[in-house]
Amino acid sequence: MNDLKNRTKDFAFECWKLCKEFPKSREYDAWVRQLIRSSSSVGANYRAACRAKSDKDFINKLKIVEEEVDESMFWLEMLKRTEVRKQETIQKLWEEGNELLAIAVSSIKTVRKRLNQSKP
């Protein structure tokens, strides 16, 4: 659990560091702000999921994590199309996002399966 908390926090921080490198312009500003917002939300909502009051609450919070990781990946893809110099960093962040997405989806499936098995 702590490993994933740290990974989601690191993902947000590394996205923030990347965003600092983009030119300060109207064109980049919207995408950079969106990436910072969505990547930060991944870690914040994962922490909330860890404090869930029930399995259903956990699933709901993890669904938000899933959506925010996917959105972060979208903004990374958009920035990758525009910026030749940062391709490697963007790709590494995209791959980490993809792994975090897979973990979230797998966790949701596992908890849903457990809930379905416990029904009479």
Side-chain angles (χ1 to χ4, degrees), residues 14-24 28 32 35 75-94:
E14 293 302 320
C15 285
W16 176 81
K17 279 181 22 184
L18 170 71
C19 289
K20 284 182 25 175
E21 299 299 317
F22 283 95
K24 308 290 187 260
Y28 282 109
V32 164
L35 177 57
W75 296 118
L76 287 166
E77 290 166 15
M78 297 301 286
L79 290 168
K80 187 175 182 180
R81 292 178 88 174
T82 65
E83 193 60 43
V84 175
R85 295 169 288 159
K86 297 169 186 63
Q87 294 291 316
E88 187 177 324
T89 301
I90 293 170
Q91 183 62 34
K92 285 181 181 176
L93 286 169
W94 189 91

Side-chain angles (χ1 to χ4, degrees), residues 92-110:
K92 285 181 181 176
L93 286 169
W94 189 91
E95 289 170 5
E96 176 66 359
N98 197 42
E99 286 183 25
L100 293 171
L101 182 62
I103 292 167
V105 169
S106 177
S107 297
I108 290 166
K109 287 180 180 178
T110 299

Side-chain angles (χ1 to χ4, degrees), residues 38 42 62-72 101:
S38 61
V42 172
L62 266 191
K63 290 296 289 176
I64 297 169
V65 171
E66 177 186 4
E67 291 170 8
E68 297 294 340
V69 172
D70 189 57
E71 182 179 336
S72 297
L101 182 62

